[in-house]
Amino acid sequence: MKKIFASLPMAGKSYAEIRKGQESLLRKAKDILGEPVELIESLFTDAPNGSAPLWYLARSLELLSSADYVIFADGWATARGCRIEHRCAVEYGIKILGEEG
């Protein structure tokens, strides 16, 4: 089963909104690949109190390193963390689903 990293803007969104976005991206990944996929859990509930955004990004990049594929939500290009995740996927050869090229 392929492991999918879902990248989506999270700032200012509730847990439910983020979960809904992840589920939508997971369905899209299944449709694109035509096989069952596994979501790499990147919604952190164990962050130390007062964690800076860079803490979350560092954890996300660690998880991204274990992905077979990454899929990006609409609006990713306007979110700083998503842009960095995209750049890392490109630079380190992680396949991007649903993107030309």
Side-chain angles (χ1 to χ4, degrees), residues 6-11 13 17-22 25 42 71-74 76 79 82 85:
S7 180
L8 63 159
M10 295 185 183
K13 293 186 180 177
E17 290 171 316
I18 295 167
R19 181 61 70 203
K20 184 178 177 181
Q22 287 177 324
L25 290 172
S42 62
I71 189 166
F72 291 88
D74 290 341
W76 71 265
C82 294
E85 290 164 352

Side-chain angles (χ1 to χ4, degrees), residues 44-66:
F44 307 117
T45 58
D46 62 343
N49 198 18
S51 293
L54 193 54
W55 183 92
Y56 292 95
L57 180 60
R59 292 278 310 271
S60 293
L61 293 178
E62 179 182 2
L63 295 173
L64 178 60
S65 74
S66 68

Side-chain angles (χ1 to χ4, degrees), residues 27-59:
R27 285 190 302 275
K28 185 176 177 182
K30 285 179 188 176
D31 290 345
I32 292 169
L33 293 172
E35 63 181 88
V37 295
E38 175 187 352
L39 177 67
I40 296 172
E41 183 55 62
S42 62
L43 184 53
F44 307 117
T45 58
D46 62 343
N49 198 18
S51 293
L54 193 54
W55 183 92
Y56 292 95
L57 180 60
R59 292 278 310 271

